């Protein structure tokens, strides 16, 4: 069977822990998205997802996380 490699790009949205100072250890992964547009949409309206109330408590990691996977041709 023939295979091909595919690059998958994921944009991660992090949330700062409630009432904690802004340093790397106080941010936790909330979601990841295949497009920057989807990640920013989530970050802009976290209340709609029932996850929070302050936009400044969320951030999108620049350029996402790139993963290369090998898939089979059908």
């Amino acid at each position: 069977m023939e295979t091909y490699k595919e690059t998958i790009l994921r944009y991660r949205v992090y949330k700062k822990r409630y009432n904690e100072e802004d340093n790397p250890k106080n941010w936790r992964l909330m979601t990841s998205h295949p497009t920057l547009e989807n990640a920013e949409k989530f970050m802009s309206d976290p209340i709609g997802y029932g996850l929070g109330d302050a936009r400044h408590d969320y951030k999108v990691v620049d350029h996402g996380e790139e993963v290369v996977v090998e898939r089979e041709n059908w």
Side-chain angles (χ1 to χ4, degrees):
M1 181 159 289
E2 196 173 316
T3 63
Y4 66 96
K5 292 191 179 200
E6 179 179 1
T7 300
I8 301 169
L9 187 61
R10 300 295 293 184
Y11 290 90
R12 296 167 293 178
V13 178
Y14 282 83
K15 181 180 190 302
K16 186 168 63 84
R17 296 183 192 278
Y18 183 70
N19 282 339
E20 295 289 336
E21 60 186 66
D22 189 4
N23 65 49
K25 71 178 185 175
N26 288 329
W27 289 87
R28 61 188 169 124
L29 179 64
M30 290 299 295
T31 63
S32 71
H33 301 267
T35 66
L36 180 58
E37 179 183 17
N38 288 349
E40 288 178 339
K41 181 179 176 184
F42 173 87
M43 188 181 73
S44 295
D45 187 23
I47 295 172
Y49 290 86
L51 296 172
D53 59 357
R55 178 183 166 89
H56 65 273
D57 285 343
Y58 293 85
K59 67 179 175 181
V60 176
V61 174
D62 292 338
H63 308 300
E65 177 181 324
E66 190 175 275
V67 177
V68 177
V69 295
E70 191 167 326
R71 302 207 189 269
E72 294 181 354
N73 286 335
W74 290 85

